[in-house]
Amino acid sequence: MAVAQNATNESQNAAAPAEDVITVTGSRIQRASNAESAVPLQVFSAEDLQESGTTDLAEALVELPGVSPSISPKNSNNLIQTSGLSTISLRRLGDDRTLVLINGMRAVSNSGNSDRVSLSTLPVGFVERTEVTTGGASAIYGSDAIAGVANFMLEDDFEGLSVDARYTTPEASGGDEYRANVLWGSRFQDDRGYVLFGVSYRDLEMIRADDTRPESIAAISFDDPSTSSNDAFADQLNAPGCSTVFTERHCFLGSNSSYTPGGVFEGGDAWFVDGQWFNDKSLQPSDRSGSSDFFSDVDGYNYRPGRTLLGARELLNIGLTSSYEFTPTMTGSVTALYSDIESRTAGGYQTLGSSSDFGVQEAFSVGNMSSSHPFIPAEVEETRSGSVSFTRRLVELGEQARINERTTLRLMADLDGQLNDRFDWTMFATYGHFTQDQQNPNEVNYYNAQQALDIESDGNGGYQCSDAAARADGCVPLNLFGEGSISEAAADYIRYNGFATQSRTQYTAGGYITGDLFDIWAGSVKTAAGVEFRREEQTTTGDPDGDLVGGLDGDPTTEDRERTSLSTFPSMSASYNVVEGYAEIDVPLIADQLNFQAAARVADYDTIGTIFSYNAGIVWRPIDDFGLRAQYSRSQRAPNITELFSPPRPDSDSLSDPCEGLLQDGSGLDQPEGSGGQNADLAIVTANCLADPGIQAYFSDVDNIDPDTGLYYEFDPSSSVQGPNSGNPNVKEETADTFTVGAIFQPRWIDNFTLIVDYYSIEINDAITSISTQDTVDLCYSAADYPNNKFCDVITRSPTSGEVVEVINYQENLNSETVEGIDLSIDYRFELPKVPGRFDMDFRFSHYITDEVEFEGIAGTVLTSTSLGEINTPENEARLRMGYSNGPFRTSYTITYAEGGVDDLLNNPNPGDDRYFSVGDEYFHRVYASYTFGDDDQYRVYGGVNNIFDNLGPLLPSGLDNGSSLNIVESLNDPTGREFYVGLRASF
């Protein structure tokens, strides 16, 4: 229940004059001040943005209580569709439940797999303030506002010319940023007309993993050590008791790759590293004896250096707004916003192995090289016992990248007038169009690689590809033996450069009236009512190879697609229309003390039919020093285009296969690791695993027999599977019940002091989501009716290796989600005796009481799962800013608190657990200073230091639920490190 909180407005606590009415986010009713609204509201100004140390709106807003990052340049490096976006999530409920408005009007989505607005598409210098309402607002603004609304209000009265230039540079490598904002505004025709033009340009260099950030290139993972000697350095300090003797005890281990630029052959019997050959025969490395094979921890390749920690972005945003007073009672305005953003991330080099699968459901494998392959060197021939297996990193193809160019055009027009002396009216229309062109260079074509490895003599002393059709297609023999052995022509033949495009279009139109309905004993009853039409359209054209709809020849049933390493989004074309009507009312019950407020909205979708949202609340100020607010809302969110219509979209998930460890005699299994896995009947799981045709094939393949024992090895599948996300035309709306109550304390005996405490509870039923890959597989193999259930229907196992290849995650109305918490904020401005100038304090704190999901787990048990207290899902968030102003000088010091946590609360919550991992709290410090000078404060020079103590955050490598091979890109990390910036603003 926050009053508008603007850290730079020193007159914040003064009551607005009665005639100075405003319209606040969360209502279309005009009120004398934000304090008269029953919704929790916070305001973030342009000055707040400057002191935040960043030029990115999303990065700045996440410091507000209840605002979390969703997709950011830091966490989207490897994402297929959304790399480079910058979105926010209110109350951690997702950016698709967070409605972003511009001047109170909807904005077209900047994503093809959800409804989300990237805040980087807004011209920073054009935004006057941001109003953030946390709590159900669907009754006011419609679907998508379950978690709340972020309303970006644009400048509308600036006159003159303002130029703001800034340069930022980190202490470590990369990340330099150049930014320039230009704003020009003028009035014309006796002040009846107004025009404002703004341009924002930003150029951000890529930050790559390198030795200036040593943690980023640490070749480690969190895993259990094997009994081989290469794991003998298991980290005893971080995980006491972890050693090769206790192989179930996880710890930090070496994590190099067996896919090296020179190649590893015959299962590690021969390899090429650092310019020379080694094998387990006559060419043993000097640091070992006997017949030792390739050790990935020692001989392997560290693929981390050079990969992107923060992607490069070039942003151009242009804004134009104009208004004109046609008559004393009618004004019109037009706003145009254009954005062109190019982002690029680098993902290292693609790999190729004899076991590389391709084709629909990975039906084919590249396979071993023939024993007669002409390029086999003597060092490999010495170890060869038949055909040659291999793993190889394809450095010669160049580094993989995600290159996105996104353009967005938004047009908004409204006409405002006075109906009579009691009512005003507004008519509006908007148009938004977004396009995304994605390039994915330097992937590998597995089919072409297979053809290029099948070589024969050309009859002239050279070699050629054996298949005539492949030769006609440009096939060139492929030599994988040694570094730099792949010719430029061969690299061109096996290289695949992918592409895809998508667009979103949005139309809205509507109108409403607002004013005083009639007078009662306590004052005027205020109301607002209106109608709105909206149409959403999306067209996506996926890459021809990975497209699940068209395929290379338009036939999705053929095997001529999915031949490459590229994961891309599928083609689709879909749209929907919605017509809505809404009304609000504000009834004064006690003059200047108690008001009742309510709103309702009915929406008719051509996809799911009619939905209904409403809210009711009170605002009570019994004395001038103290106020209370409370609101209940019922909000409904209709499924978006992706949730309804999207074909399966490629995605990679981790999986602990419930059949892992299985032996041919049926022993070896542990309880499934999914939600409620402890409830599974292990005998049923074992029987179902043994009955699977793919696993039966595994135990029929003599290559899987241990030559020392004559028994089959335990079933040890890969931990990474394809988990495509898919829409579902049968999904319906989700419903949220939100309750908020809060208090505002502004004591008259403490000047310029405001304390605000808010409590909120949001419960979402029939939540639109999907069963996780882990839970789906566990539910399938724990069921007595295996394989005849809906969980098994979406699982594909390899018919030969038995590994899970794919699990399709369909959208469904599955769960109930609940978030509950308390926000506290303190804003205080004060002076000290005999000390010149003025001090200010802005403290914001958020405590999550509940953040959980309820769903049906294994054996039909209803389970409640929570990640609250895990890494990336802290219970507490806080920020403190202390400022000092003295005439033209301003400085501030900000501390941001990021709470640590446990990695896996579900399976390993206790320090005694073998796979327990946790990290402590982190603190990030920054300082800002500015000096204003010149006639009418014409100039301002400013600068600062972000992350003063160069805190990169904890090491969170792969093997953790909340880690990755990038090591330092989680929410507790700041991969940029310490950075300095300086800027100059000039007004004319």
Side-chain angles (χ1 to χ4, degrees), residues 102-421:
I102 302 175
N103 282 350
M105 290 180 274
R106 280 181 174 264
V108 67
S109 171
N110 297 114
S111 175
N113 64 353
S114 188
D115 284 350
R116 53 171 68 97
V117 174
S118 181
L119 304 192
S120 56
T121 63
L122 304 179
V124 173
F126 215 54
V127 177
E128 180 185 26
R129 68 185 187 278
T130 305
E131 300 175 354
V132 178
T133 302
T134 47
S138 295
I140 307 298
Y141 290 108
S143 189
D144 310 334
I146 278 182
V149 175
N151 188 10
F152 293 86
M153 305 300 295
L154 306 181
E155 277 280 2
D156 61 0
D157 61 359
F158 174 83
E159 294 183 61
L161 175 66
S162 172
V163 179
D164 186 353
R166 167 175 155 159
Y167 171 66
T168 305
T169 182
E171 190 171 287
S173 65
D176 286 7
E177 177 186 353
Y178 305 87
R179 188 206 72 179
N181 293 331
V182 178
L183 198 63
W184 174 82
S186 178
R187 298 191 179 277
F188 58 92
Q189 200 168 359
D190 298 327
D191 289 344
R192 294 177 63 187
Y194 175 75
V195 63
L196 179 67
F197 176 77
V199 177
S200 293
Y201 174 78
R202 296 170 61 197
D203 187 3
L204 296 88
E205 294 182 359
M206 184 183 297
I207 293 181
R208 295 176 181 263
D210 64 17
D211 57 7
T212 67
R213 299 174 178 85
E215 297 91 339
S216 69
I217 59 172
I220 61 174
S221 66
F222 187 69
D223 204 348
D224 55 324
S226 69
T227 55
S228 59
S229 61
N230 58 312
D231 274 343
F233 64 90
D235 190 337
Q236 293 284 320
L237 179 64
N238 285 280
C242 185
S243 70
T244 56
V245 177
F246 304 103
T247 57
E248 292 302 311
R249 180 72 172 173
H250 274 43
C251 42
F252 284 160
L253 303 178
S255 180
N256 283 323
S257 172
S258 60
Y259 288 81
T260 69
V264 177
F265 305 92
E266 285 297 272
D269 291 344
W271 63 98
F272 188 93
V273 175
D274 296 331
Q276 65 180 111
W277 281 102
F278 299 94
N279 64 28
D280 62 353
K281 302 292 185 182
S282 63
L283 297 175
Q284 280 281 280
S286 59
D287 61 352
R288 65 199 72 166
S289 58
S291 300
S292 296
D293 286 351
F294 171 89
F295 285 163
S296 62
D297 291 346
V298 179
D299 308 311
Y301 176 77
N302 184 4
Y303 54 87
R304 294 162 182 82
R307 295 174 68 196
T308 297
L309 299 176
L310 286 174
R313 291 191 293 166
E314 186 175 9
L315 306 90
L316 175 65
N317 290 303
I318 301 174
L320 175 67
T321 185
S322 181
S323 61
Y324 190 79
E325 182 184 292
F326 296 103
T327 72
T329 61
M330 187 170 68
T331 302
S333 68
V334 176
T335 299
L337 302 175
Y338 173 77
S339 171
D340 188 341
I341 301 175
E342 182 173 319
S343 65
R344 181 187 183 104
T345 62
Y349 303 97
Q350 191 51 262
T351 60
L352 181 69
S354 48
S355 61
S356 296
D357 297 325
F358 64 93
V360 176
Q361 296 182 347
E362 301 182 2
F364 304 103
S365 181
V366 171
N368 291 0
M369 286 182 276
S370 168
S371 59
S372 61
H373 194 287
F375 296 150
I376 299 176
E379 296 85 352
V380 176
E381 184 67 29
E382 183 181 4
T383 69
R384 185 183 64 80
S385 58
S387 60
V388 179
S389 65
F390 63 92
T391 58
R392 175 69 145 76
R393 194 164 296 269
L394 306 175
V395 175
E396 295 89 341
L397 269 63
E399 67 179 2
Q400 302 172 75
R402 300 266 189 220
I403 305 172
N404 283 293
E405 182 170 7
R406 296 181 171 98
T407 60
T408 307
L409 175 65
R410 296 184 173 104
L411 302 175
M412 299 176 288
D414 63 76
L415 193 63
D416 303 296
Q418 187 174 341
L419 189 63
N420 52 41
D421 60 354

Side-chain angles (χ1 to χ4, degrees), residues 58 62 67-72 74-75 87-89 92 877 971:
V62 297
V67 184
S68 302
S70 182
I71 297 172
S72 71
K74 182 172 68 174
N75 64 25
T87 70
I88 58 173
S89 167
R92 299 178 184 167
E877 301 169 339
S971 63

